[in-house]
Amino acid sequence: MGYRNIAAHSRLHARSFLLLALLFIAACSDDEPVSPITDNPGIPEIEQRVHTLINQYRVGQGLQPLTLSDIITTQARNHSRDMADGSVPFSHDGFQERVDAISAQISIGGAAENVAMNSGYSDPARIAYDGWLKSDGHRKNIEGDYDLTGIGVAQSSSGGYYLTQLFAKSR
């Protein structure tokens, strides 16, 4: 191989290495909205992450952060569990019953609900959050005149995550 061919080969090898390095860095970026499963986050961590993401968004919009309510969280967890085990369809079925159960324990003047389901991602909270913000109705709930929230997550036997976030306005 002549000098000119060796130099061209070396430049090609260097460019290939640089391209691979850039692809690796991009693949590891935290900016990726969707990433494959690399670990299995725990349910409490997913619930907390939803709360954090939603409150960061609300504060960024000039809104007050939401306070977690154990009473509301119980209703959200029950609904997510029921969807995950198939006893109710993935839906808002029973929403009014959840609101009534909350109202029996705390005085609220309005409520809303977001639900999500996803599977195969390392950050199910982020996937749900991103989907909710892309939907006018779900984003309206997130930006609504609420001060309380409850978040429930359940995992189905097939590994899918079911997320419910309830919003309420205390009186």
Side-chain angles (χ1 to χ4, degrees):
M1 213 190 281
Y3 172 75
R4 182 173 276 168
N5 287 340
I6 292 173
H9 181 70
S10 294
R11 282 192 304 271
L12 180 61
H13 182 70
R15 287 181 188 148
S16 296
F17 178 77
L18 181 60
L19 181 60
L20 285 173
L22 289 172
L23 286 172
F24 177 76
I25 290 168
C28 295
S29 170
D30 288 338
D31 296 321
E32 290 265 341
V34 177
S35 56
I37 288 181
T38 55
D39 61 344
N40 188 6
I43 299 298
E45 289 82 10
I46 297 169
E47 291 173 346
Q48 184 56 52
R49 179 133 167 86
V50 169
H51 186 239
T52 299
L53 288 168
I54 296 296
N55 274 345
Q56 286 174 346
Y57 176 81
R58 283 179 60 90
V59 169
Q61 299 299 307
L63 302 167
Q64 291 298 311
L66 301 169
T67 301
L68 272 174
S69 161
D70 290 339
I71 292 165
I72 300 172
T73 294
T74 297
Q75 292 301 312
R77 285 178 177 159
N78 289 345
H79 185 53
S80 290
R81 183 197 62 232
D82 290 346
M83 290 187 296
D85 71 18
S87 60
V88 300
F90 173 69
S91 68
H92 295 286
D93 287 1
F95 171 68
Q96 189 57 54
E97 289 82 359
R98 287 185 286 286
V99 171
D100 292 345
I102 293 164
S103 296
Q105 298 181 65
I106 56 177
S107 180
I108 60 172
E113 175 178 80
N114 286 349
V115 297
M117 190 282 292
N118 63 67
S119 176
Y121 302 103
S122 63
D123 192 349
R126 182 63 187 225
I127 299 303
Y129 166 81
D130 287 344
W132 289 336
L133 287 184
K134 291 176 187 173
S135 160
D136 291 340
H138 293 100
R139 189 176 57 256
K140 181 180 175 186
N141 291 342
I142 292 168
E143 295 174 351
D145 184 23
Y146 303 111
D147 58 347
L148 299 174
T149 193
I151 301 156
V153 176
Q155 191 171 22
S156 71
S157 60
S158 62
Y161 288 96
Y162 290 80
L163 299 89
T164 302
Q165 181 168 21
L166 288 159
F167 304 87
K169 175 69 174 171
S170 60
R171 287 191 190 173

